[in-house]
Amino acid sequence: AQSVTQLGSHVSVSEGALVLLRCNYSSSVPPYLFWYVQYPNQGLQLLLKYTSAATLVKGINGFEAEFKKSETSFHLTKPSAHMSDAAEYFCAVSERGKLIFGQGTELSVKP
Amino acid sequence: DVKVTQSSRYLVKRTGEKVFLECVQDMDHENMFWYRQDPGLGLRLIYFSYDVKMKEKGDIPEGYSVSREKKERFSLILESASTNQTSMYLCASSLQGIGNNEQFFGPGTRLTVL
């Protein structure tokens, strides 16, 4: 079975600093990978997805993620954090049409 | 835009009650899903459905059942609510495919069982 591990349940950055949220997956086949964001009291919203077309994937709100097969990683980055980025972020891998989610990383942004 | 709606944002029920959570999507998606979300555990799949009247167990189906009588509606049923079912419940839908289709989520129902 596939699985996803997000390193760090809480990440805190200063406004304007680099955001790096880590995600490692295990999969026996080339994976489809997703990053979702959840703002307080809302459902999940897709940030970006990897479907093997390109290893560097650009998403909404200035986020991007790079698929590294050798490291089985799909880390999410944003060059400059904004206060509005404070939310919970989930990495997920697709398995036969279902999504397997990581535990989530809560991002705090300090002024 | 795809819209997934859930019948209630907040719900308070008593132990032993039968609870219905309703989910409706308006984009003719074949797949529908029910998750529960708990701090530190991420989202865990309860049940999913690939078509009308079809259902498959997810990772934590115990204590739950589902119903899909129409394509756009997927209901989650707690036959006899217990306090350990206090949680956030999220519904999602997606197109069928090879696994690269995103899931669209509803806003969630926060259920408290007293």
Side-chain angles (χ1 to χ4, degrees), chain B residues 46-110:
Chain B
I46 305 172
Y47 267 97
F48 60 101
S49 170
Y50 288 139
D51 202 349
V52 176
K53 296 192 186 294
M54 297 193 67
K55 59 185 179 184
E56 297 282 342
K57 292 181 180 179
D59 299 318
I60 51 165
E62 296 79 18
Y64 303 95
S65 62
V66 290
S67 172
R68 192 164 181 203
E69 296 296 319
K70 293 185 177 182
K71 191 175 185 179
E72 68 272 16
R73 187 180 297 271
F74 192 35
S75 302
L76 179 69
I77 304 155
L78 286 66
E79 296 290 343
S80 177
S82 63
T83 55
N84 62 14
Q85 292 178 309
T86 292
S87 186
M88 170 72 88
Y89 290 88
L90 291 164
C91 175
S93 71
S94 72
L95 290 168
Q96 277 190 349
I98 56 175
N100 59 342
N101 292 318
E102 71 171 286
Q103 290 186 14
F104 293 85
F105 284 81
T109 295
R110 188 167 293 281

Side-chain angles (χ1 to χ4, degrees), chain A residues 19-85:
Chain A
V19 176
L20 171 60
L21 304 182
R22 300 178 187 274
C23 172
N24 288 90
Y25 68 91
S26 70
S27 174
S28 58
V29 297
Y32 298 119
L33 294 159
F34 302 78
W35 274 101
Y36 283 84
V37 61
Q38 185 180 34
Y39 298 104
N41 298 315
Q42 294 186 26
L44 275 67
Q45 176 184 358
L46 182 71
L47 271 178
L48 49 81
K49 66 179 180 181
Y50 168 75
T51 59
S52 76
T55 56
L56 184 62
V57 182
K58 293 189 184 300
I60 62 171
N61 301 337
F63 284 93
E64 62 183 36
E66 185 172 8
F67 172 71
K68 291 187 176 180
K69 185 178 178 181
S70 61
E71 298 177 8
T72 60
S73 69
F74 190 56
H75 300 333
L76 182 70
T77 59
K78 182 174 180 177
S80 177
H82 192 272
M83 297 296 291
S84 61
D85 294 327

